[in-house]
Amino acid sequence: MIRMSATFLILSAITLIGACAAMMLRGLVHCALAVAIAFAGLGTLYLNLGAQFLGLAQLLVYVGAIAVLIVFVILLTRGGESDATPLPQVALPLTGLAVAGCLFAVLAWAVFHSFAVHRAGTQATPATVRELGAVLMDSYVLPLEVIGLMLTAALIGAVIIAMKEKQDTP
């Protein structure tokens, strides 16, 4: 059996606790913050496993942008206020565990019967963050700028929509 390092166990526990909290908490803001913790745990796991770019992208994009955007959307649209009746909690945990177990079994079967597991791959040279940044700034400057402009336009549109809703309410 392969021995896992203590840092991996701690980071995986933080990630699992954040993900479970995101599923079980009642308030939307608390769920969004728990998702941010799960994203941060995944990013640090990637960094711990040696995937620099993937770990930094996870931390910057998901924790730094997506999770903060989710919190802002909830707060701007007042999504935390709900008049809906809560679902009956009699069979929800058992149903969730059954669905998760079935999904895990199907994914495990697919992984173990995959052709990629049974063939020897070629050793690839790992790309560093510096090399990826140089390629982005040399070859893909225009798409990067277009994506930045689209995200800025979406943010401005969200602010305008939120301001109109605020002015319409008495």
Side-chain angles (χ1 to χ4, degrees):
M1 173 120 188
I2 299 173
R3 300 187 76 184
M4 290 184 246
S5 68
T7 57
F8 181 80
L9 291 174
I10 291 169
L11 291 174
S12 61
I14 289 171
T15 304
L16 287 174
I17 288 170
C20 289
M23 291 185 297
M24 294 181 186
L25 290 175
R26 305 284 284 161
L28 287 177
V29 176
H30 295 113
C31 289
L33 294 175
V35 166
I37 290 171
F39 285 158
L42 277 176
T44 52
L45 277 171
Y46 289 141
L47 290 174
N48 189 30
L49 293 173
Q52 290 179 355
F53 179 74
L54 196 55
L56 291 175
Q58 176 80 22
L59 288 174
L60 289 174
V61 173
Y62 284 100
V63 178
I66 303 293
V68 173
L69 182 67
I70 290 171
V71 171
F72 282 154
V73 165
I74 291 170
L75 293 176
L76 283 174
T77 60
R78 293 173 298 283
E81 304 165 358
S82 176
D83 294 333
T85 59
L87 295 173
Q89 298 202 2
V90 176
L92 284 180
L94 295 177
T95 306
L97 287 174
V99 169
C102 290
L103 182 64
F104 179 76
V106 168
L107 289 175
W109 179 87
V111 166
F112 287 126
H113 290 85
S114 171
F115 67 89
V117 173
H118 301 294
R119 68 180 170 117
T122 60
Q123 187 67 22
T125 59
T128 63
V129 176
R130 181 181 300 258
E131 292 170 356
L132 288 171
V135 169
L136 275 176
M137 290 299 155
D138 289 341
S139 304
Y140 297 101
V141 172
L142 183 63
L144 193 65
E145 292 294 327
V146 169
I147 289 172
L149 287 173
M150 288 175 55
L151 289 173
T152 304
L155 182 65
I156 291 170
V159 168
I160 290 172
I161 290 172
M163 288 175 58
K164 283 184 181 178
E165 284 182 5
K166 191 174 183 180
Q167 290 173 355
D168 290 343
T169 58

PDB file of all heavy atoms in Angstrom, residues 94-128:
ATOM      1  N   LEU A  94     -30.054   9.127   2.613  1.00  0.00           N
ATOM      2  CA  LEU A  94     -29.927   7.783   2.049  1.00  0.00           C
ATOM      3  C   LEU A  94     -29.955   7.813   0.524  1.00  0.00           C
ATOM      4  O   LEU A  94     -29.196   7.094  -0.134  1.00  0.00           O
ATOM      5  CB  LEU A  94     -31.038   6.885   2.583  1.00  0.00           C
ATOM      6  CG  LEU A  94     -30.993   6.609   4.091  1.00  0.00           C
ATOM      7  CD1 LEU A  94     -32.182   5.773   4.514  1.00  0.00           C
ATOM      8  CD2 LEU A  94     -29.694   5.929   4.451  1.00  0.00           C
ATOM      9  N   THR A  95     -30.801   8.642  -0.040  1.00  0.00           N
ATOM     10  CA  THR A  95     -30.864   8.766  -1.495  1.00  0.00           C
ATOM     11  C   THR A  95     -29.558   9.336  -2.040  1.00  0.00           C
ATOM     12  O   THR A  95     -29.029   8.844  -3.042  1.00  0.00           O
ATOM     13  CB  THR A  95     -32.041   9.669  -1.902  1.00  0.00           C
ATOM     14  OG1 THR A  95     -33.229   9.172  -1.315  1.00  0.00           O
ATOM     15  CG2 THR A  95     -32.192   9.716  -3.399  1.00  0.00           C
ATOM     16  N   GLY A  96     -29.031  10.344  -1.375  1.00  0.00           N
ATOM     17  CA  GLY A  96     -27.768  10.940  -1.809  1.00  0.00           C
ATOM     18  C   GLY A  96     -26.621   9.945  -1.741  1.00  0.00           C
ATOM     19  O   GLY A  96     -25.789   9.876  -2.645  1.00  0.00           O
ATOM     20  N   LEU A  97     -26.561   9.170  -0.659  1.00  0.00           N
ATOM     21  CA  LEU A  97     -25.508   8.158  -0.544  1.00  0.00           C
ATOM     22  C   LEU A  97     -25.653   7.080  -1.607  1.00  0.00           C
ATOM     23  O   LEU A  97     -24.657   6.600  -2.156  1.00  0.00           O
ATOM     24  CB  LEU A  97     -25.523   7.540   0.848  1.00  0.00           C
ATOM     25  CG  LEU A  97     -25.007   8.432   1.975  1.00  0.00           C
ATOM     26  CD1 LEU A  97     -25.223   7.754   3.325  1.00  0.00           C
ATOM     27  CD2 LEU A  97     -23.551   8.768   1.768  1.00  0.00           C
ATOM     28  N   ALA A  98     -26.879   6.678  -1.917  1.00  0.00           N
ATOM     29  CA  ALA A  98     -27.099   5.663  -2.945  1.00  0.00           C
ATOM     30  C   ALA A  98     -26.672   6.176  -4.318  1.00  0.00           C
ATOM     31  O   ALA A  98     -25.998   5.463  -5.079  1.00  0.00           O
ATOM     32  CB  ALA A  98     -28.561   5.238  -2.967  1.00  0.00           C
ATOM     33  N   VAL A  99     -27.058   7.403  -4.641  1.00  0.00           N
ATOM     34  CA  VAL A  99     -26.673   7.974  -5.936  1.00  0.00           C
ATOM     35  C   VAL A  99     -25.157   8.147  -6.014  1.00  0.00           C
ATOM     36  O   VAL A  99     -24.533   7.823  -7.036  1.00  0.00           O
ATOM     37  CB  VAL A  99     -27.402   9.323  -6.170  1.00  0.00           C
ATOM     38  CG1 VAL A  99     -26.825  10.063  -7.356  1.00  0.00           C
ATOM     39  CG2 VAL A  99     -28.884   9.081  -6.360  1.00  0.00           C
ATOM     40  N   ALA A 100     -24.532   8.626  -4.932  1.00  0.00           N
ATOM     41  CA  ALA A 100     -23.080   8.802  -4.919  1.00  0.00           C
ATOM     42  C   ALA A 100     -22.363   7.455  -5.061  1.00  0.00           C
ATOM     43  O   ALA A 100     -21.361   7.338  -5.770  1.00  0.00           O
ATOM     44  CB  ALA A 100     -22.644   9.510  -3.644  1.00  0.00           C
ATOM     45  N   GLY A 101     -22.871   6.430  -4.388  1.00  0.00           N
ATOM     46  CA  GLY A 101     -22.259   5.103  -4.503  1.00  0.00           C
ATOM     47  C   GLY A 101     -22.360   4.532  -5.912  1.00  0.00           C
ATOM     48  O   GLY A 101     -21.399   3.966  -6.438  1.00  0.00           O
ATOM     49  N   CYS A 102     -23.528   4.696  -6.531  1.00  0.00           N
ATOM     50  CA  CYS A 102     -23.701   4.218  -7.910  1.00  0.00           C
ATOM     51  C   CYS A 102     -22.790   4.979  -8.873  1.00  0.00           C
ATOM     52  O   CYS A 102     -22.172   4.375  -9.749  1.00  0.00           O
ATOM     53  CB  CYS A 102     -25.150   4.354  -8.345  1.00  0.00           C
ATOM     54  SG  CYS A 102     -26.265   3.211  -7.503  1.00  0.00           S
ATOM     55  N   LEU A 103     -22.714   6.279  -8.699  1.00  0.00           N
ATOM     56  CA  LEU A 103     -21.849   7.083  -9.556  1.00  0.00           C
ATOM     57  C   LEU A 103     -20.387   6.695  -9.375  1.00  0.00           C
ATOM     58  O   LEU A 103     -19.646   6.566 -10.357  1.00  0.00           O
ATOM     59  CB  LEU A 103     -22.049   8.569  -9.255  1.00  0.00           C
ATOM     60  CG  LEU A 103     -21.254   9.538 -10.108  1.00  0.00           C
ATOM     61  CD1 LEU A 103     -21.681   9.456 -11.561  1.00  0.00           C
ATOM     62  CD2 LEU A 103     -21.427  10.956  -9.591  1.00  0.00           C
ATOM     63  N   PHE A 104     -19.970   6.481  -8.137  1.00  0.00           N
ATOM     64  CA  PHE A 104     -18.601   6.058  -7.877  1.00  0.00           C
ATOM     65  C   PHE A 104     -18.312   4.704  -8.505  1.00  0.00           C
ATOM     66  O   PHE A 104     -17.245   4.483  -9.080  1.00  0.00           O
ATOM     67  CB  PHE A 104     -18.327   6.009  -6.368  1.00  0.00           C
ATOM     68  CG  PHE A 104     -16.946   5.562  -6.029  1.00  0.00           C
ATOM     69  CD1 PHE A 104     -15.869   6.419  -6.185  1.00  0.00           C
ATOM     70  CD2 PHE A 104     -16.714   4.275  -5.567  1.00  0.00           C
ATOM     71  CE1 PHE A 104     -14.590   6.001  -5.884  1.00  0.00           C
ATOM     72  CE2 PHE A 104     -15.446   3.849  -5.267  1.00  0.00           C
ATOM     73  CZ  PHE A 104     -14.367   4.714  -5.415  1.00  0.00           C
ATOM     74  N   ALA A 105     -19.250   3.773  -8.409  1.00  0.00           N
ATOM     75  CA  ALA A 105     -19.053   2.448  -8.992  1.00  0.00           C
ATOM     76  C   ALA A 105     -18.919   2.517 -10.514  1.00  0.00           C
ATOM     77  O   ALA A 105     -18.046   1.872 -11.102  1.00  0.00           O
ATOM     78  CB  ALA A 105     -20.215   1.537  -8.603  1.00  0.00           C
ATOM     79  N   VAL A 106     -19.750   3.321 -11.157  1.00  0.00           N
ATOM     80  CA  VAL A 106     -19.679   3.459 -12.614  1.00  0.00           C
ATOM     81  C   VAL A 106     -18.360   4.105 -13.033  1.00  0.00           C
ATOM     82  O   VAL A 106     -17.700   3.651 -13.979  1.00  0.00           O
ATOM     83  CB  VAL A 106     -20.891   4.263 -13.141  1.00  0.00           C
ATOM     84  CG1 VAL A 106     -20.706   4.667 -14.586  1.00  0.00           C
ATOM     85  CG2 VAL A 106     -22.159   3.448 -12.983  1.00  0.00           C
ATOM     86  N   LEU A 107     -17.950   5.156 -12.320  1.00  0.00           N
ATOM     87  CA  LEU A 107     -16.683   5.813 -12.658  1.00  0.00           C
ATOM     88  C   LEU A 107     -15.488   4.900 -12.403  1.00  0.00           C
ATOM     89  O   LEU A 107     -14.530   4.881 -13.193  1.00  0.00           O
ATOM     90  CB  LEU A 107     -16.547   7.118 -11.879  1.00  0.00           C
ATOM     91  CG  LEU A 107     -17.461   8.253 -12.309  1.00  0.00           C
ATOM     92  CD1 LEU A 107     -17.305   9.449 -11.380  1.00  0.00           C
ATOM     93  CD2 LEU A 107     -17.187   8.661 -13.740  1.00  0.00           C
ATOM     94  N   ALA A 108     -15.511   4.134 -11.312  1.00  0.00           N
ATOM     95  CA  ALA A 108     -14.416   3.208 -11.030  1.00  0.00           C
ATOM     96  C   ALA A 108     -14.335   2.130 -12.101  1.00  0.00           C
ATOM     97  O   ALA A 108     -13.238   1.778 -12.565  1.00  0.00           O
ATOM     98  CB  ALA A 108     -14.605   2.587  -9.647  1.00  0.00           C
ATOM     99  N   TRP A 109     -15.483   1.601 -12.512  1.00  0.00           N
ATOM    100  CA  TRP A 109     -15.487   0.607 -13.581  1.00  0.00           C
ATOM    101  C   TRP A 109     -14.912   1.202 -14.865  1.00  0.00           C
ATOM    102  O   TRP A 109     -14.122   0.559 -15.559  1.00  0.00           O
ATOM    103  CB  TRP A 109     -16.908   0.099 -13.823  1.00  0.00           C
ATOM    104  CG  TRP A 109     -16.969  -0.916 -14.935  1.00  0.00           C
ATOM    105  CD1 TRP A 109     -16.779  -2.250 -14.824  1.00  0.00           C
ATOM    106  CD2 TRP A 109     -17.219  -0.639 -16.309  1.00  0.00           C
ATOM    107  NE1 TRP A 109     -16.886  -2.834 -16.065  1.00  0.00           N
ATOM    108  CE2 TRP A 109     -17.156  -1.861 -17.000  1.00  0.00           C
ATOM    109  CE3 TRP A 109     -17.487   0.511 -17.031  1.00  0.00           C
ATOM    110  CZ2 TRP A 109     -17.345  -1.951 -18.355  1.00  0.00           C
ATOM    111  CZ3 TRP A 109     -17.678   0.416 -18.386  1.00  0.00           C
ATOM    112  CH2 TRP A 109     -17.608  -0.806 -19.041  1.00  0.00           C
ATOM    113  N   ALA A 110     -15.303   2.434 -15.205  1.00  0.00           N
ATOM    114  CA  ALA A 110     -14.813   3.073 -16.430  1.00  0.00           C
ATOM    115  C   ALA A 110     -13.316   3.301 -16.377  1.00  0.00           C
ATOM    116  O   ALA A 110     -12.607   3.123 -17.376  1.00  0.00           O
ATOM    117  CB  ALA A 110     -15.550   4.389 -16.665  1.00  0.00           C
ATOM    118  N   VAL A 111     -12.798   3.681 -15.227  1.00  0.00           N
ATOM    119  CA  VAL A 111     -11.358   3.925 -15.105  1.00  0.00           C
ATOM    120  C   VAL A 111     -10.588   2.617 -15.217  1.00  0.00           C
ATOM    121  O   VAL A 111      -9.579   2.537 -15.930  1.00  0.00           O
ATOM    122  CB  VAL A 111     -11.045   4.645 -13.772  1.00  0.00           C
ATOM    123  CG1 VAL A 111      -9.565   4.606 -13.459  1.00  0.00           C
ATOM    124  CG2 VAL A 111     -11.531   6.079 -13.824  1.00  0.00           C
ATOM    125  N   PHE A 112     -11.031   1.577 -14.530  1.00  0.00           N
ATOM    126  CA  PHE A 112     -10.288   0.321 -14.546  1.00  0.00           C
ATOM    127  C   PHE A 112     -10.382  -0.417 -15.874  1.00  0.00           C
ATOM    128  O   PHE A 112      -9.529  -1.224 -16.196  1.00  0.00           O
ATOM    129  CB  PHE A 112     -10.737  -0.593 -13.402  1.00  0.00           C
ATOM    130  CG  PHE A 112     -10.262  -0.118 -12.066  1.00  0.00           C
ATOM    131  CD1 PHE A 112     -11.163   0.074 -11.037  1.00  0.00           C
ATOM    132  CD2 PHE A 112      -8.926   0.159 -11.832  1.00  0.00           C
ATOM    133  CE1 PHE A 112     -10.734   0.514  -9.805  1.00  0.00           C
ATOM    134  CE2 PHE A 112      -8.487   0.598 -10.612  1.00  0.00           C
ATOM    135  CZ  PHE A 112      -9.389   0.781  -9.586  1.00  0.00           C
ATOM    136  N   HIS A 113     -11.409  -0.142 -16.668  1.00  0.00           N
ATOM    137  CA  HIS A 113     -11.545  -0.780 -17.976  1.00  0.00           C
ATOM    138  C   HIS A 113     -11.128   0.136 -19.118  1.00  0.00           C
ATOM    139  O   HIS A 113     -11.354  -0.179 -20.282  1.00  0.00           O
ATOM    140  CB  HIS A 113     -12.978  -1.259 -18.180  1.00  0.00           C
ATOM    141  CG  HIS A 113     -13.322  -2.422 -17.309  1.00  0.00           C
ATOM    142  ND1 HIS A 113     -13.759  -2.263 -16.020  1.00  0.00           N
ATOM    143  CD2 HIS A 113     -13.255  -3.753 -17.523  1.00  0.00           C
ATOM    144  CE1 HIS A 113     -13.966  -3.446 -15.482  1.00  0.00           C
ATOM    145  NE2 HIS A 113     -13.670  -4.378 -16.371  1.00  0.00           N
ATOM    146  N   SER A 114     -10.504   1.245 -18.806  1.00  0.00           N
ATOM    147  CA  SER A 114     -10.068   2.192 -19.822  1.00  0.00           C
ATOM    148  C   SER A 114      -8.790   1.695 -20.486  1.00  0.00           C
ATOM    149  O   SER A 114      -7.934   1.079 -19.845  1.00  0.00           O
ATOM    150  CB  SER A 114      -9.821   3.561 -19.179  1.00  0.00           C
ATOM    151  OG  SER A 114      -9.212   4.425 -20.096  1.00  0.00           O
ATOM    152  N   PHE A 115      -8.648   1.996 -21.766  1.00  0.00           N
ATOM    153  CA  PHE A 115      -7.437   1.594 -22.465  1.00  0.00           C
ATOM    154  C   PHE A 115      -6.239   2.424 -22.015  1.00  0.00           C
ATOM    155  O   PHE A 115      -5.099   1.996 -22.149  1.00  0.00           O
ATOM    156  CB  PHE A 115      -7.621   1.713 -23.983  1.00  0.00           C
ATOM    157  CG  PHE A 115      -7.774   3.129 -24.460  1.00  0.00           C
ATOM    158  CD1 PHE A 115      -6.669   3.886 -24.807  1.00  0.00           C
ATOM    159  CD2 PHE A 115      -9.030   3.708 -24.558  1.00  0.00           C
ATOM    160  CE1 PHE A 115      -6.810   5.182 -25.231  1.00  0.00           C
ATOM    161  CE2 PHE A 115      -9.175   5.006 -24.991  1.00  0.00           C
ATOM    162  CZ  PHE A 115      -8.074   5.747 -25.325  1.00  0.00           C
ATOM    163  N   ALA A 116      -6.467   3.591 -21.482  1.00  0.00           N
ATOM    164  CA  ALA A 116      -5.363   4.453 -21.054  1.00  0.00           C
ATOM    165  C   ALA A 116      -4.654   3.882 -19.829  1.00  0.00           C
ATOM    166  O   ALA A 116      -3.468   4.121 -19.630  1.00  0.00           O
ATOM    167  CB  ALA A 116      -5.871   5.851 -20.745  1.00  0.00           C
ATOM    168  N   VAL A 117      -5.349   3.102 -19.018  1.00  0.00           N
ATOM    169  CA  VAL A 117      -4.735   2.523 -17.831  1.00  0.00           C
ATOM    170  C   VAL A 117      -3.825   1.367 -18.209  1.00  0.00           C
ATOM    171  O   VAL A 117      -2.794   1.143 -17.596  1.00  0.00           O
ATOM    172  CB  VAL A 117      -5.840   2.051 -16.845  1.00  0.00           C
ATOM    173  CG1 VAL A 117      -5.245   1.283 -15.683  1.00  0.00           C
ATOM    174  CG2 VAL A 117      -6.637   3.224 -16.356  1.00  0.00           C
ATOM    175  N   HIS A 118      -4.154   0.663 -19.264  1.00  0.00           N
ATOM    176  CA  HIS A 118      -3.451  -0.564 -19.605  1.00  0.00           C
ATOM    177  C   HIS A 118      -2.330  -0.398 -20.624  1.00  0.00           C
ATOM    178  O   HIS A 118      -1.699  -1.361 -20.973  1.00  0.00           O
ATOM    179  CB  HIS A 118      -4.465  -1.594 -20.122  1.00  0.00           C
ATOM    180  CG  HIS A 118      -5.518  -1.917 -19.126  1.00  0.00           C
ATOM    181  ND1 HIS A 118      -5.259  -2.569 -17.946  1.00  0.00           N
ATOM    182  CD2 HIS A 118      -6.843  -1.646 -19.101  1.00  0.00           C
ATOM    183  CE1 HIS A 118      -6.369  -2.692 -17.256  1.00  0.00           C
ATOM    184  NE2 HIS A 118      -7.352  -2.139 -17.939  1.00  0.00           N
ATOM    185  N   ARG A 119      -2.092   0.807 -21.096  1.00  0.00           N
ATOM    186  CA  ARG A 119      -0.989   0.978 -22.048  1.00  0.00           C
ATOM    187  C   ARG A 119       0.055   1.907 -21.446  1.00  0.00           C
ATOM    188  O   ARG A 119      -0.248   2.783 -20.644  1.00  0.00           O
ATOM    189  CB  ARG A 119      -1.478   1.532 -23.381  1.00  0.00           C
ATOM    190  CG  ARG A 119      -1.962   2.950 -23.309  1.00  0.00           C
ATOM    191  CD  ARG A 119      -2.421   3.406 -24.681  1.00  0.00           C
ATOM    192  NE  ARG A 119      -3.088   4.683 -24.504  1.00  0.00           N
ATOM    193  CZ  ARG A 119      -2.678   5.803 -25.032  1.00  0.00           C
ATOM    194  NH1 ARG A 119      -1.639   5.814 -25.825  1.00  0.00           N
ATOM    195  NH2 ARG A 119      -3.312   6.931 -24.818  1.00  0.00           N
ATOM    196  N   ALA A 120       1.278   1.688 -21.849  1.00  0.00           N
ATOM    197  CA  ALA A 120       2.371   2.498 -21.339  1.00  0.00           C
ATOM    198  C   ALA A 120       2.428   3.805 -22.123  1.00  0.00           C
ATOM    199  O   ALA A 120       2.441   3.814 -23.348  1.00  0.00           O
ATOM    200  CB  ALA A 120       3.695   1.753 -21.487  1.00  0.00           C
ATOM    201  N   GLY A 121       2.444   4.898 -21.426  1.00  0.00           N
ATOM    202  CA  GLY A 121       2.482   6.213 -22.060  1.00  0.00           C
ATOM    203  C   GLY A 121       3.907   6.718 -22.184  1.00  0.00           C
ATOM    204  O   GLY A 121       4.841   6.216 -21.552  1.00  0.00           O
ATOM    205  N   THR A 122       4.075   7.705 -23.033  1.00  0.00           N
ATOM    206  CA  THR A 122       5.388   8.312 -23.174  1.00  0.00           C
ATOM    207  C   THR A 122       5.568   9.375 -22.109  1.00  0.00           C
ATOM    208  O   THR A 122       4.622  10.028 -21.680  1.00  0.00           O
ATOM    209  CB  THR A 122       5.537   8.961 -24.567  1.00  0.00           C
ATOM    210  OG1 THR A 122       4.524   9.959 -24.710  1.00  0.00           O
ATOM    211  CG2 THR A 122       5.395   7.923 -25.656  1.00  0.00           C
ATOM    212  N   GLN A 123       6.794   9.536 -21.670  1.00  0.00           N
ATOM    213  CA  GLN A 123       7.099  10.515 -20.638  1.00  0.00           C
ATOM    214  C   GLN A 123       7.109  11.903 -21.252  1.00  0.00           C
ATOM    215  O   GLN A 123       7.867  12.190 -22.167  1.00  0.00           O
ATOM    216  CB  GLN A 123       8.464  10.201 -20.006  1.00  0.00           C
ATOM    217  CG  GLN A 123       8.803  11.044 -18.819  1.00  0.00           C
ATOM    218  CD  GLN A 123       7.901  10.760 -17.626  1.00  0.00           C
ATOM    219  OE1 GLN A 123       7.310   9.705 -17.533  1.00  0.00           O
ATOM    220  NE2 GLN A 123       7.808  11.710 -16.731  1.00  0.00           N
ATOM    221  N   ALA A 124       6.244  12.776 -20.772  1.00  0.00           N
ATOM    222  CA  ALA A 124       6.165  14.141 -21.283  1.00  0.00           C
ATOM    223  C   ALA A 124       6.979  15.062 -20.379  1.00  0.00           C
ATOM    224  O   ALA A 124       7.087  14.844 -19.178  1.00  0.00           O
ATOM    225  CB  ALA A 124       4.715  14.608 -21.314  1.00  0.00           C
ATOM    226  N   THR A 125       7.542  16.076 -20.983  1.00  0.00           N
ATOM    227  CA  THR A 125       8.279  17.054 -20.182  1.00  0.00           C
ATOM    228  C   THR A 125       7.273  18.014 -19.545  1.00  0.00           C
ATOM    229  O   THR A 125       6.378  18.524 -20.222  1.00  0.00           O
ATOM    230  CB  THR A 125       9.268  17.853 -21.054  1.00  0.00           C
ATOM    231  OG1 THR A 125       8.532  18.529 -22.075  1.00  0.00           O
ATOM    232  CG2 THR A 125      10.283  16.931 -21.691  1.00  0.00           C
ATOM    233  N   PRO A 126       7.381  18.245 -18.255  1.00  0.00           N
ATOM    234  CA  PRO A 126       6.412  19.132 -17.603  1.00  0.00           C
ATOM    235  C   PRO A 126       6.628  20.588 -18.019  1.00  0.00           C
ATOM    236  O   PRO A 126       7.758  21.052 -18.134  1.00  0.00           O
ATOM    237  CB  PRO A 126       6.697  18.939 -16.108  1.00  0.00           C
ATOM    238  CG  PRO A 126       8.093  18.428 -16.036  1.00  0.00           C
ATOM    239  CD  PRO A 126       8.337  17.679 -17.314  1.00  0.00           C
ATOM    240  N   ALA A 127       5.537  21.266 -18.271  1.00  0.00           N
ATOM    241  CA  ALA A 127       5.600  22.673 -18.638  1.00  0.00           C
ATOM    242  C   ALA A 127       5.548  23.516 -17.372  1.00  0.00           C
ATOM    243  O   ALA A 127       4.746  23.254 -16.475  1.00  0.00           O
ATOM    244  CB  ALA A 127       4.436  23.035 -19.550  1.00  0.00           C
ATOM    245  N   THR A 128       6.390  24.508 -17.309  1.00  0.00           N
ATOM    246  CA  THR A 128       6.401  25.381 -16.144  1.00  0.00           C
ATOM    247  C   THR A 128       5.446  26.543 -16.363  1.00  0.00           C
ATOM    248  O   THR A 128       4.981  26.788 -17.480  1.00  0.00           O
ATOM    249  CB  THR A 128       7.815  25.925 -15.888  1.00  0.00           C
ATOM    250  OG1 THR A 128       8.207  26.720 -17.004  1.00  0.00           O
ATOM    251  CG2 THR A 128       8.810  24.792 -15.673  1.00  0.00           C
TER     252      THR A 128
END
